[in-house]
Amino acid sequence: MALITSKEMFQKALKSDYAVGAFNVNNMEIIQGIVDAAKEENAPLILQVSAGARKYAKPAYLVKLVEAAMIDTGLDICLHLDHGEDFEICKKCVDDGFTSVMIDGSKYPFKENVALTKQVVEYAHAKGVVVEAELGRLSGIEDNINVDERQATFTDPEEAAEFVERTGVDSLAIAIGTSHGAYKFKGDPYLDFERLKKIHELIPDTPLVLHGASTVLPEFVDLCNKYGGKIPGAKGVPEDMIREAAKYGICKVNIDTDLRLAMTAEIRRYLAEHPEDFDPRKYLGPARNAIKAMVQHKIRNVLGSSNKR
Ligand code: G3H
Ligand code: 13P
Ligand code: ZN
């Protein structure tokens, strides 16, 4: 077993209607829950680390924990930097042994995004590491903009084709209506599938990435709220929309919020029902099981990546 790039997993996913799950990791229990699920489902796996995760857990711990997960399960795993904001963090992660990095230049004008992405691609490719970039901006309802303004931030298909051509990037994150966090839509959920189809048509060989793809399952929001949480009106991307997206080039689906909700719901429930307990293992153990069950559900029922290893 080894840390591997996402190249082969994406090539397989591109030819089929399933997507690979990319799950955010921040500590040992989250990593263990995810890898145990992927092992049982025999699914390809990307573990991703954000700048916030590196700050929280310290970079060396996360890399070593992922290596430990690989040794324990015997799985090949792709270790990915999520939302690298500049060349330096991407370089650091390449040097630390990551097999994939994201350079997120989506906040810059097209030309600057191209230049920054190219710089990362050059460095990473020379070391056998693959690169994901982002074009278009993910804006949630919290950004307080109307529908037209929101659409204007979506990825332009022609620009996407030009961007891939000019940067040589391995995969591209696109904006079609998803957003990060637990508040993705005010009214009915809407994704711009026509735009996705157009992008896929123009760059059929480029694996596309869907960020902000959590579903925010009501039962977990309700559990959190039942046991003292305050997450009113949370809404995510319906599961059938994720399945649909996987048919049009979406090869990587990013999930963090659903893991956070599952873990928090379980910890809240456990502590409320066992006020006498104060051993962290007592509530972190069930929380780890909740992560595992959530990831297994995603792989089996939403992403369709069971037995695609
Ligand atoms: O894209 C954002 C991911 O959910 C990571 O979140 O920056 O709070 O670690 P974070
Ligand atoms: P969610 O907040 O929908 O889980 O998205 C996570 C993500 O896109 C990480 O990059
Ligand atoms: Zn993201």
Side-chain angles (χ1 to χ4, degrees), residues 278-294:
F278 53 88
D279 177 344
R281 293 172 296 188
K282 289 277 175 68
Y283 53 86
L284 290 176
R288 178 172 56 194
N289 294 341
I291 293 274
K292 181 179 172 191
M294 177 62 78

Side-chain angles (χ1 to χ4, degrees), residues 6 16 20 24 42 117 128 141 176 199 227 234 238 248 261 289 307:
S6 49
S16 196
V20 179
N24 285 74
N42 195 28
T117 301
I141 52 170
I176 55 165
I199 296 169
Y227 290 107
Y248 309 111
L261 287 170
N289 294 341
N307 294 316

Side-chain angles (χ1 to χ4, degrees), residues 18-44:
Y18 70 92
V20 179
F23 301 97
N24 285 74
V25 299
N26 291 277
N27 70 7
M28 183 186 78
E29 283 77 10
I30 296 174
I31 292 173
Q32 289 177 335
I34 298 168
V35 294
D36 287 353
K39 182 171 175 141
E40 263 177 47
E41 292 300 319
N42 195 28

Side-chain angles (χ1 to χ4, degrees), residues 71-147:
I71 291 165
D72 181 55
T73 57
L75 293 182
D76 291 336
I77 295 171
C78 173
L79 176 57
H80 174 76
L81 167 68
D82 192 25
H83 293 284
E85 69 163 4
D86 52 32
F87 174 78
E88 284 66 37
I89 190 171
C90 292
K91 177 179 184 301
K92 183 83 183 64
C93 288
V94 169
D95 295 346
D96 282 353
F98 281 54
T99 47
S100 174
V101 293
M102 175 188 190
I103 176 66
D104 183 357
S106 60
K107 62 177 181 289
Y108 297 116
F110 185 80
K111 264 172 84 177
E112 275 94 318
N113 192 356
V114 167
L116 177 60
T117 301
K118 260 176 98 165
Q119 191 191 6
V120 173
V121 166
E122 248 165 55
Y123 187 81
H125 281 184
K127 308 230 171 185
V129 171
V130 293
V131 180
E132 172 185 329
E134 179 164 323
L135 191 66
R137 283 202 343 271
L138 270 66
S139 44
I141 52 170
E142 68 279 7
D143 294 337
N144 204 17
I145 57 173
N146 65 36
V147 178

